[in-house]
Amino acid sequence: MKKNYRKKPSGAARLSANDIMTRHKLKAYQDGYALAMAKYGLKRGIVGSEARHTTTAQYYRDLLNQTEDIQENIGLLLAEKERAESELAKIKSEARTEQLKNKATDAMTAIASGVGSLFGSGKLKELEQANGKLQGKIDKRDNQIRLLNEHMRMQEERHSTEKHCQQEIHRQELNMKMKKIEELNEIIGKAFK
């Protein structure tokens, strides 16, 4: 047996999702809610946004890619640090060699001055000039060593700061996603109830 439903008169009140959930009314609901929650620091989303929900799987893929990028940057920074350290060690060894040469030159100058004073030669002035040039080179090398040490220290500080910032961003994003998951689980739990 077929049921016949009575139709309501067109002017009568009716309850219909088509009347409540129109695009215009949904926008008004969001605007009103944003105004009511503004005192708590909540802000209205972007009106007409083309943004789409990111799945949890996609979020974790993006997070993994970011982590890989960070690891790659750390590897590059460590390689740069090793290169700077080896360059510093090379310059230090060169500086030691220059110091030994300088000491040898001083000893030769002392011997030459002693011998020169005995024979009255002008070699002493030449040796003093050569000694002055060597001292200038040593000073230049010491300055290069100081600059490299400073550069290496700055690189280490930058690396440490960058690593800490990336870890903090990763932790915050993870916490936010975990909170969202908890909220969604609560909503799902309520929906099942």
Side-chain angles (χ1 to χ4, degrees):
M1 178 167 164
K2 186 175 179 183
K3 287 191 171 189
N4 290 329
Y5 293 101
R6 284 185 306 149
K7 292 191 177 186
K8 288 190 176 188
S10 62
R14 66 187 200 127
L15 179 62
S16 171
N18 290 339
D19 294 338
I20 297 171
M21 297 299 197
T22 65
R23 182 176 296 273
H24 177 68
K25 285 189 177 182
L26 287 174
K27 181 181 179 304
Y29 295 151
Q30 285 186 333
D31 292 340
Y33 186 75
L35 286 173
M37 293 294 125
K39 62 185 174 186
Y40 300 113
L42 294 177
K43 295 180 181 177
R44 168 77 161 87
I46 299 170
V47 178
S49 173
E50 296 294 322
R52 294 290 171 248
H53 174 72
T54 302
T55 65
T56 304
Q58 181 61 41
Y59 169 76
Y60 283 116
R61 275 194 298 273
D62 294 343
L63 202 57
L64 183 62
N65 289 338
Q66 288 176 356
T67 304
E68 289 172 357
D69 290 344
I70 291 169
Q71 291 296 334
E72 184 178 322
N73 288 341
I74 289 171
L76 292 173
L77 288 172
L78 288 174
E80 187 176 331
K81 178 184 174 189
E82 288 177 12
R83 186 182 53 76
E85 285 175 347
S86 67
E87 194 173 318
L88 178 64
K90 178 183 172 186
I91 289 174
K92 280 184 178 180
S93 69
E94 288 175 0
R96 285 188 199 113
T97 304
E98 288 296 325
Q99 287 175 346
L100 289 174
K101 287 180 181 178
N102 190 29
K103 287 181 182 179
T105 303
D106 288 343
M108 291 301 289
T109 303
I111 292 171
S113 67
V115 172
S117 65
L118 290 174
F119 296 112
S121 73
K123 276 274 201 197
L124 180 60
K125 287 184 180 180
E126 290 176 22
L127 289 174
E128 285 176 351
Q129 288 175 349
N131 191 20
K133 288 180 183 177
L134 285 175
Q135 187 62 41
K137 287 182 180 180
I138 289 171
D139 291 342
K140 184 178 177 182
R141 288 284 165 90
D142 287 344
N143 192 34
Q144 286 177 340
I145 289 170
R146 184 185 56 77
L147 290 174
L148 281 173
N149 280 332
E150 182 66 23
H151 177 71
M152 190 169 78
R153 184 188 60 77
M154 288 171 52
Q155 288 288 339
E156 288 173 349
E157 287 176 5
R158 188 183 74 178
H159 168 69
S160 176
T161 303
E162 186 175 291
K163 180 180 175 183
H164 178 70
C165 288
Q166 291 296 331
Q167 287 174 341
E168 184 62 24
I169 289 169
H170 174 71
R171 187 187 61 76
Q172 288 176 357
E173 288 177 350
L174 195 57
N175 286 342
M176 285 180 10
K177 291 300 177 181
M178 293 305 291
K179 285 180 184 177
K180 285 182 182 178
I181 290 171
E182 289 174 8
E183 290 172 3
L184 289 173
N185 285 336
E186 287 179 22
I187 291 170
I188 291 170
K190 288 179 183 177
F192 281 124
K193 287 181 182 178

